[in-house]
Amino acid sequence: MKPLLSFVIATFFLAGPALSQESETADEPTAWEVISTPDSNNLSEFLWQSRPIVVFADSENDPRFEQQLALLEDQAAALAERDVVVLTDTDPSAKSELRKELRPRGFMMVLIGKDGGIKLRKASPWDVRELTRVIDKMPMRQREIRERREP
């Protein structure tokens, strides 16, 4: 098991209720589709496909980490609509590639665009509404919105 994203147990815990309940609409994604733990610790696998949100903490018991995941879980559909995947890293001793590249100190949430650029860094939890506003202002997201409107 890779130490970078040993958050699988907590992901199952968060996704369990969403997977066991039927959603009101078939198109509404569950948290399992949004919160992922990739096998690789390389952000290039998401390039031009997804917008990673990387959530760092020194422990999976960090209250800010738990709050951030709860906020993301509550609005999974809004994140899925914007091609967001959530990556977590709660093991600073592993010295993962993500930690080397993004250099978090304690809790940190990083939004990365489809182009691989860092769009937002926050040292405190952010609501999905605030995150979607940042995403919706990105040029690539604006193009996606226009393409969906065109017949």
Side-chain angles (χ1 to χ4, degrees):
M1 182 161 101
K2 292 192 175 190
L4 167 66
L5 300 171
S6 61
F7 190 65
V8 175
I9 295 171
T11 301
F12 283 121
F13 174 77
L14 290 173
L19 292 173
S20 64
Q21 298 173 357
E22 292 186 31
S23 65
E24 293 178 14
T25 63
D27 295 335
E28 186 175 326
T30 63
W32 180 249
E33 294 169 291
V34 176
I35 297 176
S36 70
T37 52
D39 293 332
S40 127
N41 54 6
N42 188 349
L43 290 173
S44 65
E45 70 184 78
F46 301 106
L47 201 58
W48 307 114
Q49 302 298 316
S50 302
R51 294 178 177 93
I53 292 178
V54 186
V55 183
F56 292 100
D58 290 342
S59 164
E60 59 188 50
N61 296 324
D62 183 329
R64 294 173 296 177
F65 179 76
E66 293 173 351
Q67 180 185 8
Q68 183 64 69
L69 290 184
L71 290 168
L72 296 173
E73 174 81 16
D74 288 344
Q75 296 293 318
L79 295 174
E81 179 183 330
R82 290 162 178 84
D83 301 323
V84 169
V85 293
V86 177
L87 311 175
T88 60
D89 184 341
T90 59
D91 187 6
S93 65
K95 299 188 187 332
S96 67
E97 289 300 315
L98 285 176
R99 282 190 180 271
K100 290 177 188 173
E101 185 177 342
L102 300 174
R103 300 177 183 214
R105 291 186 180 155
F107 175 84
M108 186 172 79
M109 188 265 317
V110 182
L111 171 62
I112 299 170
K114 284 187 175 182
D115 62 357
I118 296 171
K119 306 302 180 186
L120 180 72
R121 284 180 185 260
K122 290 295 172 183
S124 61
W126 256 42
D127 187 72
V128 171
R129 182 175 153 194
E130 296 164 320
L131 287 168
T132 57
R133 285 181 180 173
V134 171
I135 293 169
D136 289 347
K137 291 178 184 176
M138 295 177 188
M140 189 173 295
R141 175 65 179 153
Q142 290 291 312
R143 189 180 76 220
E144 292 168 359
I145 292 169
R146 282 192 307 275
E147 288 175 356
R148 288 182 184 165
R149 286 184 191 159
E150 293 176 1

